[in-house]
Amino acid sequence: MNLNQCPVLVDHNTHIAVRELDLPIQIEKVALRTPDSPIHQINPLGRVPALQLDDGTLITENSAILPYLADQVPGTPLFAAAGTTERAQIQSWLGYLSAEIHTATFRPLNRPERYSAAETAHPGIRAQAQVQILKAFEHIEQHLTDRQWLVGERYTLADAYLGVFSNWLLRLGGPFNELHAIGRLREQWRERPAVQQALKAEGLL
Ligand SMILES: N[C@@H](CCC(=O)N[C@@H](CS)C(=O)NCC(=O)O)C(=O)O
């Protein structure tokens, strides 16, 4: 497959994976909250990440895009061979991060209007979302208590994805500052050249 012409409309984690894997992919930054954003022409859901292949095929969802990108670099330490337990564990964390963290908890925090049209309800939705975010991260914190990375002894796609959310926790403060194992992972994640390059390119460093 020739990825040279493939644009990917990114969120941070896909951007980081593209840089970790050193793939020849064209990255486009798009506005998400404007009706005229080019994302609507690419992904009818109006969401990133969205990967468009050179034959026009569209792939969405982090849980599909991240493994697909890693599979373009056979043997990459970021993922694992088909049929292995390690691969299933990495995919399990990708599913957890996408469904339980990204969508189930950060979405009501960031988009309370999707859960109630009544603006007066939004502070309550946001407050409850923070409770759920904490619970979802405590599960990860426990897992990381005696290990450095989510799966095995090395940094994988799952850690690249978790690093992004661990960075979002800095904005929340309070009890989130007590998640020390996640804090350690964030520090190591932030030191990675691919992460630094992606954050810098996005004006976030
Ligand atoms: N289930 C999707 C969620 C993607 C998602 O919600 N992305 C956010 C950006 S981090 C987005 O596009 N938000 C715009 C919106 O929800 O309209 C995935 O895991 O890829």
Side-chain angles (χ1 to χ4, degrees), residues 29-185:
K29 198 172 168 180
V30 286
L32 279 180
R33 292 185 187 229
T34 56
D36 59 346
S37 165
I39 189 67
H40 299 292
Q41 263 94 62
I42 305 273
N43 180 359
L45 291 173
R47 293 191 184 124
V48 292
L51 172 65
Q52 192 169 49
L53 303 183
D54 45 12
D55 68 358
T57 305
L58 177 68
I59 303 176
T60 60
E61 299 297 321
N62 274 292
S63 52
I65 292 177
L66 296 175
Y68 178 81
L69 293 177
D71 280 342
Q72 306 308 309
V73 184
T76 173
L78 286 183
F79 204 21
T84 60
T85 311
E86 233 183 17
R87 186 174 172 109
Q89 287 175 317
I90 294 168
Q91 285 178 309
S92 169
W93 281 112
L94 294 181
Y96 183 80
L97 292 166
S98 170
E100 301 288 340
I101 301 272
H102 201 167
T103 309
T105 62
F106 274 111
R107 185 164 293 159
L109 180 72
N110 294 327
R111 308 279 178 141
E113 70 280 6
R114 294 196 179 152
Y115 298 82
S116 172
E119 267 186 43
T120 50
H122 295 176
I125 293 170
R126 285 202 165 102
Q128 189 55 22
Q130 290 213 22
V131 172
Q132 295 303 319
I133 292 173
L134 187 58
K135 278 192 182 166
F137 273 98
E138 279 169 349
H139 172 64
I140 300 175
E141 176 76 8
Q142 205 169 5
H143 179 75
L144 287 176
T145 303
D146 54 358
R147 59 179 76 223
Q148 189 177 359
W149 304 114
L150 285 172
V151 179
E153 304 288 317
R154 65 177 197 280
Y155 176 88
T156 69
L157 288 178
D159 304 296
Y161 198 8
L162 173 58
V164 171
F165 300 127
S166 72
N167 216 28
W168 291 3
L169 294 184
L170 293 173
R171 278 180 285 172
L172 302 178
F176 296 96
N177 292 340
E178 303 306 313
L179 301 172
H180 298 297
I182 291 174
R184 281 196 298 276
L185 184 139

Side-chain angles (χ1 to χ4, degrees), residues 4-47:
N4 275 310
Q5 304 302 318
C6 303
V8 56
L9 288 90
V10 292
D11 54 4
H12 310 309
N13 31 293
T14 315
H15 188 178
I16 288 162
V18 165
R19 288 182 183 264
E20 292 276 7
L21 292 159
D22 204 17
L23 290 168
I25 287 181
Q26 175 194 334
I27 288 171
E28 292 182 28
K29 198 172 168 180
V30 286
L32 279 180
R33 292 185 187 229
T34 56
D36 59 346
S37 165
I39 189 67
H40 299 292
Q41 263 94 62
I42 305 273
N43 180 359
L45 291 173
R47 293 191 184 124

